[in-house]
Amino acid sequence: MSDEQFYKDNIVKMVFSIRNVDWLLKIYSFIKVFADDKEGAE
């Protein structure tokens, strides 16, 4: 098994183990805002 496949499998397991989708959405929106700020600063 390649490293890439190994990481993909682990990420999928991790995502499915996160039952609290609200927490996931908070992280996503935080990262999105952070990314938008970086783009705006350049």
Side-chain angles (χ1 to χ4, degrees), residues 2-38:
S2 70
D3 281 351
E4 192 177 339
Q5 188 62 45
F6 176 73
Y7 285 120
K8 279 182 184 170
D9 288 349
N10 277 336
I11 288 167
V12 168
K13 282 177 192 163
M14 192 174 75
V15 168
F16 278 112
S17 71
I18 297 170
R19 295 282 187 256
N20 193 346
V21 179
D22 185 49
W23 180 78
L24 199 64
L25 285 171
K26 280 181 184 151
I27 289 176
Y28 174 74
S29 59
F30 173 77
I31 290 169
K32 196 170 181 297
V33 167
F34 187 73
D36 288 347
D37 282 353
K38 279 186 84 170

